[in-house]
Amino acid sequence: MQYLLAAVVALPLLGAVGALLPSRPSPDRHPGRKRFALPLSSGLRGRNPDQAVLRHGVTLTGVVLAAALALAVGFDHDHPARMQATTDISWIPALDIRIHLGVDGISLPLVVLTALLTFLCALYSYFHMPTGPSPKAFVALLLVLEAGTLATFAVLDLMLFFLAFEMVLIPMYFLIARWGGAGKQAAAWKFILFTLLGSVVMLLGLLLIGLKSGTFDMVALATDNGPKAQLSHTVQVLAVLAVGIGLAVKSPMWPLHSWLPDAHTAAPTVGSVLLAGVLLKMGTYGFVRIALPITPEGMHTFAPYLAALAAIGIIYGSLACLALVRQGAKGDLKRLIAYSSVGHMGFVLLGIASMTPTGVNGALFANIAHGLITGLLFFLVGALKDRYGTTDLDALSGSTGAALYGKAPRFGGLLAFGAVASLGIPGLAGFWGEMLAMFGAFRPAAGLSRPAFLTFMVLAGLGTLLTAAYLLLVVRRVCMGGTPHLAPIAPLGAADPADPDSGPAAETPAPAPAIPDIAHYEYAAWTPLAVLTVLAGLWPAALLGLTDPAVQQLLGGGK
């Protein structure tokens, strides 16, 4: 198991190196037909070097997904609170920094989600490569991004966590800047500046914890009778303030979210899927893995402020979406989903701020649900832009707009499914996380102001109503189409003397142009997300059974 986890983290890095190696011609069974292959994967041939490297990306991410699933199958589900598949090797003895890996019921679902979404993105890109430079660099960056994200969820050393946390910034920057759409350079710079500045402050907080406690080991620091005892109340408050700023930027928490809509709007489809489905989870995971167990007193001090900002983010994100969806606002559908992520991640932060098992379990469940649902929505919106050349809501509505139910019924049905899942309807994955987060706010941890948290819970409940409003409006405008403004029609058979083309034939409206419905590769990339959204909604115990024992131990100081 320990070798399996190490392979899950290391294989994407090795695959990225292989993707950058020059392709070479390889023999084929059919004489006279040249095929190309990468040196490290000679069995993966393609008609040209680009196809060979894209096939290499699908294969490598598929192998990583298979290893992650094998890790999940081999995981001891009877003891999900125990760190499993651990590797602990000394790396920098002078600072007691170790290569310490392991997974428990909190991190395992995120590892599997990351492997799944990256594989689906690689598969989608094989058939629909985004416009931009060479696929070699694209595949290499995708694999480096996967390696950094997987390492973030698997490492158990504070310094390794910081390195993995930062490792994803460069590949995401280039994915936006080189393969993005309009405004890609400005969006990429905004993304990198916000996240880097937040990370510098976070590094100071992590160093403060490590130097004051004498260790960077996250497992040892999480126990009440361990090195955490060396951390005074003041140190914990300062550490949470510093670490929390870096994590809040990545979460993203209002008002540190402003980089997100620009990044999503400019990013290619797969970049948006990974940014929403995986990268946003790194910040909230850091709150659960570091702030809650290692600095509980500091977290208790800042919990009401975190909850207040989370509640504001829920309302703000919903109001921003309502402003974008109204007729004549020239709202961008991709930008709307980005703002919806600010609201959905607000529920995650509210659950964490409650500092209760119910709230934290809800936050972890909402993390997974958001990754599945928003990943599906960004896939769909990207495909909609490919078909229409725009994601402008005014262009996609009206008699000449998308009207997907009539033109591409399966596409329209799946988009409506994603919207309904995102608004948190019972029976789908989006419901449980938001409900449990609000239950956590209803009865927060001892010492936290219950009237304040009840207020935050009411605001979150209002946010669910606003979410339903704007998502149903999206379905109304994009899937059903708007009401056309028709001129008065003359009685049947009547003719206008001034118009030689008038008459019965002129009253027949022109048929709406047809667009392609869901293609086979789109089915392959989107079906797993839709199926898992249903399964998680109908069987939440499968995920909560993993997270709850680990959360109980984490909040109990390792007991």
Side-chain angles (χ1 to χ4, degrees), residues 144-167:
V144 172
L145 182 68
E146 180 181 33
T149 311
L150 289 169
T152 301
F153 298 137
V155 297
L156 298 172
D157 184 277
L158 289 177
M159 287 297 100
L160 281 184
F161 176 86
F162 175 78
L163 293 176
F165 197 85
E166 297 304 291
M167 184 177 171

Side-chain angles (χ1 to χ4, degrees), residues 96-147:
D96 193 27
I97 298 176
R98 312 180 66 81
I99 300 177
H100 193 182
L101 305 176
V103 290
D104 62 357
I106 293 173
S107 52
L108 179 63
L110 291 167
V111 168
V112 176
L113 176 67
T114 301
L116 173 65
L117 285 177
T118 310
F119 169 70
L120 296 180
C121 286
L123 180 65
Y124 186 83
S125 300
Y126 177 78
F127 293 98
H128 190 80
M129 174 70 193
T131 304
S134 165
K136 277 183 172 293
F138 176 83
V139 171
L141 290 170
L142 194 68
L143 291 170
V144 172
L145 182 68
E146 180 181 33

Side-chain angles (χ1 to χ4, degrees), residues 254-255 305-319 342-343 456 459:
W254 183 91
Y305 305 103
L306 178 62
L309 293 174
I312 294 173
I314 293 170
I315 299 297
Y316 172 84
S318 300
L319 292 177
V342 176
F456 304 146
L459 290 175

Side-chain angles (χ1 to χ4, degrees), residues 267-283:
T269 297
V270 295
S272 294
V273 171
L274 293 176
L275 182 58
V278 177
L279 265 67
L280 301 189
K281 312 303 175 284
M282 296 166 63

Side-chain angles (χ1 to χ4, degrees), residues 270-507:
V270 295
S272 294
V273 171
L274 293 176
L275 182 58
V278 177
L279 265 67
L280 301 189
K281 312 303 175 284
M282 296 166 63
T284 52
Y285 173 78
F287 276 110
V288 174
R289 181 64 74 192
I290 298 174
L292 281 177
I294 298 176
T295 55
E297 294 180 24
M299 189 66 185
H300 194 278
T301 300
F302 283 104
Y305 305 103
L306 178 62
L309 293 174
I312 294 173
I314 293 170
I315 299 297
Y316 172 84
S318 300
L319 292 177
C321 291
L322 281 172
L324 288 170
V325 79
R326 66 184 177 86
Q327 190 170 1
K330 293 293 182 182
D332 187 280
L333 184 54
K334 206 172 182 184
R335 195 174 188 86
L336 182 145
I337 298 175
Y339 272 111
S340 77
S341 292
V342 176
H344 289 307
M345 298 309 291
F347 282 98
V348 178
L349 293 170
L350 179 62
I352 294 171
S354 73
M355 298 186 69
T356 62
T358 301
V360 176
N361 276 304
L364 294 172
F365 198 102
N367 257 345
I368 301 299
H370 180 265
L372 296 172
I373 297 168
T374 309
L376 175 62
L377 285 173
F378 273 118
F379 268 133
L380 291 166
V381 174
L384 193 63
K385 185 174 183 179
D386 294 335
R387 287 160 167 79
Y388 280 93
T390 182
T391 51
D392 182 86
L393 278 164
D394 287 339
L396 293 174
S397 62
S399 58
T400 59
L404 290 177
Y405 286 160
K407 299 178 183 177
R410 289 185 291 275
F411 194 109
L414 193 55
L415 179 62
F417 167 82
V420 169
S422 185
L423 65 85
I425 192 169
L428 297 177
F431 170 74
W432 297 105
E434 295 181 1
M435 183 194 70
L436 291 173
M438 287 191 287
F439 277 177
F442 179 74
R443 198 174 297 278
L448 296 176
S449 171
R450 193 178 182 210
F453 272 82
L454 286 175
T455 303
F456 304 146
M457 183 195 73
V458 171
L459 290 175
L462 176 61
T464 61
L465 299 177
L466 296 175
T467 300
Y470 71 74
L471 285 172
L472 291 176
L473 282 172
V474 167
V475 174
R476 168 70 180 85
R477 300 191 68 193
V478 178
C479 296
M480 301 178 185
T483 302
H485 299 286
L486 299 177
I489 299 177
L492 185 63
D496 183 357
D499 184 4
D501 295 326
S502 65
E507 296 173 16

